Amino acid sequence: MDLFARLDAYDYGEVHFKRDKATGLMAIVAIHDTRLGPALGGCRFIHYDTEQDALVDALRLARGMTYKAALAGLPHGGGKSVLLRPPQHFDRVALFRAFGKFVDDLRGHYITAEDSGTGLEDMDVLRSVTRWVTGVDPSHGGSGDPSPFTALGVRRGIEACVGKRLARSSLAGVHVAVQGVGHVGYHLCKELHDEGATLTVADVDPLKAERAQREFGAQVVALDAIFDVDCDVFAPCALGSPLNDDTIPRLKARIVAGAANNQLALPRHGDDLHARGILYAPDYAINAGGLINVAQEVVGYDEAKSRAKTLKIYDTILEILDRSEKLNAPTYKVADMLVEERLASARPR
Ligand code: NAD
């Protein structure tokens, strides 16, 4: 693998590797940008076919964290860590302790958190060896589950879009189709239902869809039918890239605003939405509530402050929409532009 060319492609300066034979640890910490503050981002522990795949995932994700933190106005840069699964039997606690020491050696330059394949218990192990960890159990002063904050931010983003595109000052009677009612999707349905919105949902897991039907009066449709729903807002809250050549022409919604990461299959799909007059709330702008909540833990967790900062996602989305209108530019490009401006104007730390 052409390592340094790969780093250049993702606009990188810093990647750390750690091997500890005794515990089986093989870890990568990618630090994309620290102009706004120490890098913050989760720790992944999932299967990768190759070491190269693991590295590329870390590079890609850490870069995304820089953008998300900058747009949310957080004093953090972007980082991400990846642990490769040891091929032989391993002691999970020992492995995470060794990883914690690695994080500690970086002396706060990188702050870790939960991500796919890691959980509260792992964060508690890390906490026993380093202070540079967030997402620990609320009983230890941590911020706990980020999903309700992510959902709150998405609801605020939807409100901004609905005001702009539909000229409506509330969500009462607004029809939202939610794809995926897992952790965030469920809380989003609750937020929207409380504001008087009408819901249609789809989920791979029928029990989750039924729960939304039971608790919020949501109509349940088949997985693929969610793209055809005659609604005001399409809210992707599942996995994968829901906005692509097949799905975009089918959308009847005039707004796309949801929690899922990487919603655009390719950047050009953001241009496609713009050309069709569909307002797209860029994913990393609207789904930052969970990150805002975790970042609050770095300076001493305070739920009220997290909530107040998450509510401001409304202003961020509105700023993007206003600029997009003024420049006649797709919203995803405007969001990137705002980030570049913020990074360029950061004072050296
Ligand atoms: P989750 O796994 O709890 O929920 C995802 C749900 O989507 C599950 O119920 C799953 O059954 C369903 N699903 C999967 N494929 C589907 C499909 N094709 N159609 C319909 N439903 C489908 O995950 P989550 O934590 O709720 O996160 C949802 C999305 O939001 C992910 O893209 C995640 O990266 C993103 N996100 C989450 C957070 C957070 O705070 N959890 C923060 C930012 C972004």
Side-chain angles (χ1 to χ4, degrees):
M1 178 186 189
D2 199 347
L3 184 58
F4 287 100
R6 193 59 74 116
L7 297 193
D8 285 347
Y10 283 93
D11 200 16
Y12 262 83
E14 196 176 338
V15 182
H16 300 262
F17 296 89
K18 183 80 176 183
R19 170 77 172 130
D20 178 51
K21 265 192 176 174
T23 56
L25 179 75
M26 291 173 281
I28 303 168
V29 172
I31 297 178
H32 176 255
D33 193 296
T34 54
R35 275 177 282 177
L36 294 174
L40 174 62
C43 166
R44 271 207 175 173
F45 191 37
I46 58 174
H47 171 80
Y48 291 101
D49 286 337
T50 65
E51 291 175 5
Q52 183 170 324
D53 288 350
L55 175 62
V56 168
D57 205 29
L59 295 177
R60 191 178 59 83
L61 293 165
R63 188 168 186 272
M65 294 306 293
T66 296
Y67 277 64
K68 195 184 284 202
L71 205 50
L74 296 173
H76 287 287
K80 207 83 177 185
S81 52
V82 162
L83 303 192
L84 283 91
R85 201 163 270 279
Q88 264 85 43
H89 172 77
F90 62 95
D91 175 342
R92 188 167 179 122
V93 171
L95 188 81
F96 274 86
R97 268 179 184 278
F99 175 62
K101 287 193 188 115
F102 176 30
V103 171
D104 204 56
D105 287 344
L106 298 173
R107 291 180 299 168
H109 200 43
Y110 165 67
I111 302 166
T112 196
E114 264 183 58
D115 202 277
S116 307
T118 59
L120 269 185
E121 284 177 14
D122 301 316
M123 298 306 114
D124 279 343
V125 173
L126 294 179
R127 185 178 155 269
S128 68
V129 280
T130 183
R131 55 185 279 234
W132 306 113
V133 54
T134 59
V136 300
D137 198 281
S139 62
H140 295 132
S143 60
D145 181 9
S147 311
F149 285 87
T150 304
L152 173 66
V154 174
R155 191 257 287 171
R156 293 291 288 155
I158 291 176
E159 283 171 344
C161 293
V162 161
K164 186 86 184 167
R165 179 49 47 96
L166 308 178
R168 288 165 79 158
S169 58
S170 96
L171 294 179
V174 172
H175 185 179
V176 186
V178 183
Q179 183 198 33
V181 279
H183 285 99
V184 183
Y186 170 80
H187 287 289
L188 178 62
C189 285
K190 184 171 187 333
E191 291 275 345
L192 297 172
H193 177 68
D194 288 349
E195 298 298 321
T198 309
L199 301 169
T200 299
V201 304
D203 199 293
V204 177
D205 182 344
L207 291 179
K208 289 184 183 162
E210 279 164 26
R211 183 170 64 158
Q213 185 177 43
R214 204 172 50 244
E215 295 187 22
F216 312 122
Q219 190 191 342
V220 178
V221 296
L223 288 187
D224 194 49
I226 197 78
F227 300 105
D228 304 307
V229 175
D230 193 0
C231 59
D232 300 304
V233 182
F234 173 55
C237 296
L239 311 170
S241 299
L243 303 170
N244 54 49
D245 290 333
D246 168 45
T247 57
I248 291 173
R250 293 163 56 191
L251 294 178
K252 303 204 175 51
R254 294 175 68 202
I255 294 165
V256 174
N261 280 312
N262 306 317
Q263 291 177 30
L264 301 171
L266 293 167
R268 70 173 168 80
H269 292 115
D271 300 282
D272 196 0
L273 289 167
H274 182 69
R276 288 168 185 271
I278 299 173
L279 208 59
Y280 166 62
D283 45 16
Y284 70 83
I286 196 171
N287 72 13
L291 178 66
I292 290 169
N293 193 42
V294 152
Q296 186 61 43
E297 208 177 317
V298 177
V299 287
Y301 188 58
D302 180 330
E303 189 178 329
K305 283 188 181 158
S306 279
R307 203 179 153 80
K309 287 180 191 167
T310 302
L311 291 175
K312 290 195 174 143
I313 286 178
Y314 180 96
D315 304 310
T316 306
I317 296 295
L318 210 53
E319 187 179 355
I320 293 169
L321 302 184
D322 284 345
R323 272 225 209 179
S324 161
E325 191 176 51
K326 218 176 275 171
L327 302 172
N328 189 22
T331 51
Y332 82 97
K333 280 190 181 156
V334 171
D336 286 356
M337 211 177 353
L338 281 173
V339 169
E340 305 298 345
E341 282 172 17
R342 284 181 192 180
L343 291 176
S345 64
R347 275 193 265 127
R349 292 191 320 119

